[in-house]
Amino acid sequence: MGRLEFPSLSSLQKSLRNAPKQLLLLCIVQAVVVLCSVSLKFFAPRCVLSHGDGVEFISCNHIQGLSLKDGIIVICVLAVISFGLRASRSRDKKLLQWYGTGMIAIAVVTGYIAILAVTVEAAQIQYWKTLPVSYQNHREILDMLSATQMYAIWFGLNCLLASIGALFAFKTKEHFDYEEIQERHTTSWNSAVL
């Protein structure tokens, strides 16, 4: 049976020392991923099911545009990411706490969006594929299904990055706390020696 080994103090210090830089890099990656995921939806074809004379038919336009939901998500995510960028540069523990809490909320929301995109939208589009439509509309429906699946994958990635961001926020806060304790210890040691 193996022994339980704890990391040494030097390995813990080394791990924590890189936390602000890792958080800064993670914030940049998060911003790029959220912009990519929303841009996928922006250029995706948009089809709607209509009823007329007792017959269902599908009409498609080529550009969906940015919905209000996507716009709000982008603004909120970028605002929270800005907290993380600022906190990692200015060593502000309060902003770091806001960033960590915001990332937890974003992880929940983006995970929920990914699940909805896969289940609800994909199921609706699968139903549309069974309807008699022109070849062009059938092609656009398949493109819309593909775009919805990619949208769900990117929002799932956003969820994962937000969860990792929250973990890095707490790790970076530990680093700042450790530095503060070390500074107090050094100050008290120097005053005791004098």
Short mmCIF file of all heavy atoms in Angstrom, two decimals, residues 113-141:
data_model
loop_
_atom_site.label_atom_id
_atom_site.label_comp_id
_atom_site.label_asym_id
_atom_site.label_seq_id
_atom_site.Cartn_x
_atom_site.Cartn_y
_atom_site.Cartn_z
N ILE A 113 -26.90 26.33 -21.99
CA ILE A 113 -27.11 26.68 -23.40
C ILE A 113 -26.64 25.54 -24.31
O ILE A 113 -27.30 25.20 -25.29
CB ILE A 113 -26.39 27.99 -23.75
CG1 ILE A 113 -27.10 29.17 -23.09
CG2 ILE A 113 -26.31 28.20 -25.26
CD1 ILE A 113 -26.36 30.47 -23.18
N ALA A 114 -25.50 24.95 -23.98
CA ALA A 114 -24.99 23.84 -24.79
C ALA A 114 -25.96 22.66 -24.77
O ALA A 114 -26.23 22.05 -25.81
CB ALA A 114 -23.62 23.40 -24.27
N ILE A 115 -26.50 22.36 -23.60
CA ILE A 115 -27.46 21.25 -23.49
C ILE A 115 -28.73 21.56 -24.28
O ILE A 115 -29.25 20.70 -25.01
CB ILE A 115 -27.77 20.95 -22.02
CG1 ILE A 115 -26.54 20.33 -21.35
CG2 ILE A 115 -28.97 20.02 -21.88
CD1 ILE A 115 -26.63 20.25 -19.85
N LEU A 116 -29.23 22.78 -24.16
CA LEU A 116 -30.44 23.16 -24.90
C LEU A 116 -30.21 23.11 -26.41
O LEU A 116 -31.08 22.66 -27.16
CB LEU A 116 -30.90 24.56 -24.49
CG LEU A 116 -31.67 24.64 -23.19
CD1 LEU A 116 -32.04 26.10 -22.92
CD2 LEU A 116 -32.91 23.79 -23.21
N ALA A 117 -29.06 23.59 -26.84
CA ALA A 117 -28.77 23.59 -28.28
C ALA A 117 -28.75 22.17 -28.83
O ALA A 117 -29.26 21.92 -29.92
CB ALA A 117 -27.45 24.28 -28.56
N VAL A 118 -28.19 21.27 -28.07
CA VAL A 118 -28.10 19.89 -28.54
C VAL A 118 -29.46 19.22 -28.51
O VAL A 118 -29.85 18.54 -29.46
CB VAL A 118 -27.08 19.10 -27.69
CG1 VAL A 118 -27.20 17.62 -27.93
CG2 VAL A 118 -25.68 19.57 -28.00
N THR A 119 -30.22 19.40 -27.45
CA THR A 119 -31.47 18.65 -27.31
C THR A 119 -32.63 19.29 -28.05
O THR A 119 -33.24 18.66 -28.91
CB THR A 119 -31.83 18.48 -25.82
OG1 THR A 119 -31.89 19.77 -25.19
CG2 THR A 119 -30.81 17.63 -25.12
N VAL A 120 -32.92 20.53 -27.76
CA VAL A 120 -34.12 21.16 -28.32
C VAL A 120 -33.95 21.55 -29.78
O VAL A 120 -34.72 21.12 -30.64
CB VAL A 120 -34.52 22.39 -27.47
CG1 VAL A 120 -35.70 23.11 -28.09
CG2 VAL A 120 -34.84 21.97 -26.05
N GLU A 121 -32.92 22.35 -30.07
CA GLU A 121 -32.75 22.82 -31.45
C GLU A 121 -32.45 21.68 -32.40
O GLU A 121 -32.99 21.62 -33.50
CB GLU A 121 -31.66 23.89 -31.51
CG GLU A 121 -32.08 25.22 -30.93
CD GLU A 121 -31.02 26.29 -31.15
OE1 GLU A 121 -30.43 26.33 -32.24
OE2 GLU A 121 -30.81 27.08 -30.23
N ALA A 122 -31.57 20.79 -31.99
CA ALA A 122 -31.21 19.67 -32.88
C ALA A 122 -32.41 18.77 -33.14
O ALA A 122 -32.61 18.30 -34.26
CB ALA A 122 -30.05 18.89 -32.29
N ALA A 123 -33.23 18.52 -32.12
CA ALA A 123 -34.42 17.69 -32.30
C ALA A 123 -35.41 18.36 -33.27
O ALA A 123 -36.00 17.69 -34.12
CB ALA A 123 -35.09 17.42 -30.97
N GLN A 124 -35.56 19.66 -33.13
CA GLN A 124 -36.46 20.39 -34.02
C GLN A 124 -35.95 20.33 -35.47
O GLN A 124 -36.71 20.08 -36.40
CB GLN A 124 -36.55 21.84 -33.57
CG GLN A 124 -37.45 22.70 -34.42
CD GLN A 124 -37.45 24.15 -33.95
OE1 GLN A 124 -36.49 24.63 -33.36
NE2 GLN A 124 -38.53 24.84 -34.23
N ILE A 125 -34.67 20.51 -35.65
CA ILE A 125 -34.09 20.47 -36.99
C ILE A 125 -34.19 19.07 -37.58
O ILE A 125 -34.44 18.90 -38.77
CB ILE A 125 -32.64 21.00 -36.97
CG1 ILE A 125 -32.64 22.48 -36.57
CG2 ILE A 125 -31.97 20.82 -38.31
CD1 ILE A 125 -31.27 23.03 -36.23
N GLN A 126 -34.00 18.04 -36.76
CA GLN A 126 -34.15 16.66 -37.23
C GLN A 126 -35.57 16.43 -37.74
O GLN A 126 -35.77 15.75 -38.75
CB GLN A 126 -33.82 15.66 -36.10
CG GLN A 126 -32.37 15.57 -35.76
CD GLN A 126 -31.54 14.90 -36.84
OE1 GLN A 126 -32.04 14.37 -37.82
NE2 GLN A 126 -30.23 14.94 -36.66
N TYR A 127 -36.57 16.98 -37.05
CA TYR A 127 -37.96 16.86 -37.51
C TYR A 127 -38.13 17.54 -38.86
O TYR A 127 -38.79 17.02 -39.76
CB TYR A 127 -38.91 17.45 -36.47
CG TYR A 127 -40.31 17.62 -36.99
CD1 TYR A 127 -41.12 16.50 -37.22
CD2 TYR A 127 -40.82 18.88 -37.28
CE1 TYR A 127 -42.40 16.64 -37.72
CE2 TYR A 127 -42.10 19.03 -37.78
CZ TYR A 127 -42.89 17.91 -38.00
OH TYR A 127 -44.15 18.05 -38.49
N TRP A 128 -37.52 18.70 -39.01
CA TRP A 128 -37.64 19.44 -40.26
C TRP A 128 -37.08 18.66 -41.43
O TRP A 128 -37.56 18.80 -42.55
CB TRP A 128 -36.93 20.79 -40.17
CG TRP A 128 -37.58 21.77 -39.26
CD1 TRP A 128 -38.76 21.63 -38.59
CD2 TRP A 128 -37.09 23.05 -38.92
NE1 TRP A 128 -39.03 22.74 -37.85
CE2 TRP A 128 -38.01 23.65 -38.04
CE3 TRP A 128 -35.95 23.78 -39.26
CZ2 TRP A 128 -37.84 24.91 -37.51
CZ3 TRP A 128 -35.79 25.03 -38.73
CH2 TRP A 128 -36.71 25.60 -37.86
N LYS A 129 -36.07 17.86 -41.18
CA LYS A 129 -35.48 17.07 -42.26
C LYS A 129 -36.47 16.07 -42.85
O LYS A 129 -36.33 15.66 -43.99
CB LYS A 129 -34.24 16.31 -41.76
CG LYS A 129 -33.03 17.20 -41.58
CD LYS A 129 -31.82 16.52 -40.97
CE LYS A 129 -31.58 15.12 -41.36
NZ LYS A 129 -30.41 14.51 -40.73
N THR A 130 -37.50 15.70 -42.09
CA THR A 130 -38.48 14.74 -42.58
C THR A 130 -39.54 15.39 -43.46
O THR A 130 -40.28 14.68 -44.14
CB THR A 130 -39.18 14.03 -41.41
OG1 THR A 130 -39.94 14.98 -40.66
CG2 THR A 130 -38.17 13.33 -40.51
N LEU A 131 -39.64 16.69 -43.46
CA LEU A 131 -40.67 17.39 -44.24
C LEU A 131 -40.24 17.49 -45.70
O LEU A 131 -39.05 17.55 -46.01
CB LEU A 131 -40.89 18.80 -43.68
CG LEU A 131 -41.42 18.86 -42.24
CD1 LEU A 131 -41.49 20.31 -41.79
CD2 LEU A 131 -42.78 18.21 -42.14
N PRO A 132 -41.23 17.50 -46.61
CA PRO A 132 -40.88 17.67 -48.02
C PRO A 132 -40.46 19.12 -48.30
O PRO A 132 -41.23 20.04 -48.11
CB PRO A 132 -42.18 17.33 -48.76
CG PRO A 132 -43.25 17.55 -47.76
CD PRO A 132 -42.66 17.31 -46.41
N VAL A 133 -39.21 19.29 -48.66
CA VAL A 133 -38.68 20.63 -48.93
C VAL A 133 -37.85 20.59 -50.20
O VAL A 133 -37.49 19.52 -50.69
CB VAL A 133 -37.81 21.15 -47.76
CG1 VAL A 133 -38.62 21.38 -46.52
CG2 VAL A 133 -36.65 20.20 -47.47
N SER A 134 -37.55 21.76 -50.70
CA SER A 134 -36.69 21.83 -51.89
C SER A 134 -35.27 21.42 -51.51
O SER A 134 -34.90 21.39 -50.34
CB SER A 134 -36.68 23.27 -52.43
OG SER A 134 -36.00 24.12 -51.52
N TYR A 135 -34.50 21.12 -52.53
CA TYR A 135 -33.11 20.71 -52.30
C TYR A 135 -32.33 21.81 -51.58
O TYR A 135 -31.56 21.55 -50.68
CB TYR A 135 -32.44 20.35 -53.63
CG TYR A 135 -30.97 20.04 -53.45
CD1 TYR A 135 -30.57 18.81 -52.93
CD2 TYR A 135 -30.00 20.98 -53.77
CE1 TYR A 135 -29.23 18.52 -52.75
CE2 TYR A 135 -28.66 20.71 -53.60
CZ TYR A 135 -28.27 19.47 -53.08
OH TYR A 135 -26.95 19.19 -52.89
N GLN A 136 -32.55 23.06 -52.02
CA GLN A 136 -31.84 24.19 -51.41
C GLN A 136 -32.19 24.32 -49.93
O GLN A 136 -31.31 24.47 -49.09
CB GLN A 136 -32.19 25.49 -52.15
CG GLN A 136 -31.54 26.72 -51.57
CD GLN A 136 -30.02 26.69 -51.67
OE1 GLN A 136 -29.46 26.06 -52.55
NE2 GLN A 136 -29.36 27.36 -50.75
N ASN A 137 -33.47 24.23 -49.59
CA ASN A 137 -33.86 24.32 -48.18
C ASN A 137 -33.34 23.11 -47.39
O ASN A 137 -32.96 23.25 -46.23
CB ASN A 137 -35.38 24.42 -48.04
CG ASN A 137 -35.89 25.82 -48.29
OD1 ASN A 137 -35.10 26.76 -48.44
ND2 ASN A 137 -37.19 25.97 -48.33
N HIS A 138 -33.33 21.93 -48.01
CA HIS A 138 -32.79 20.75 -47.34
C HIS A 138 -31.31 20.96 -47.02
O HIS A 138 -30.85 20.63 -45.92
CB HIS A 138 -32.98 19.51 -48.21
CG HIS A 138 -32.56 18.25 -47.55
ND1 HIS A 138 -33.26 17.70 -46.50
CD2 HIS A 138 -31.49 17.45 -47.77
CE1 HIS A 138 -32.63 16.60 -46.10
NE2 HIS A 138 -31.56 16.42 -46.86
N ARG A 139 -30.58 21.52 -47.96
CA ARG A 139 -29.15 21.81 -47.75
C ARG A 139 -28.98 22.81 -46.60
O ARG A 139 -28.10 22.66 -45.75
CB ARG A 139 -28.56 22.36 -49.05
CG ARG A 139 -27.11 22.62 -49.04
CD ARG A 139 -26.32 21.32 -49.09
NE ARG A 139 -25.44 21.32 -47.94
CZ ARG A 139 -25.05 20.26 -47.27
NH1 ARG A 139 -25.42 19.06 -47.61
NH2 ARG A 139 -24.27 20.35 -46.24
N GLU A 140 -29.83 23.85 -46.57
CA GLU A 140 -29.74 24.86 -45.52
C GLU A 140 -30.12 24.28 -44.15
O GLU A 140 -29.55 24.66 -43.14
CB GLU A 140 -30.60 26.07 -45.86
CG GLU A 140 -30.00 26.89 -46.98
CD GLU A 140 -30.87 28.05 -47.40
OE1 GLU A 140 -32.03 28.13 -46.98
OE2 GLU A 140 -30.35 28.90 -48.15
N ILE A 141 -31.07 23.35 -44.14
CA ILE A 141 -31.44 22.69 -42.88
C ILE A 141 -30.26 21.87 -42.35
O ILE A 141 -29.95 21.90 -41.16
CB ILE A 141 -32.69 21.82 -43.07
CG1 ILE A 141 -33.92 22.71 -43.27
CG2 ILE A 141 -32.91 20.90 -41.87
CD1 ILE A 141 -35.15 21.95 -43.69
#
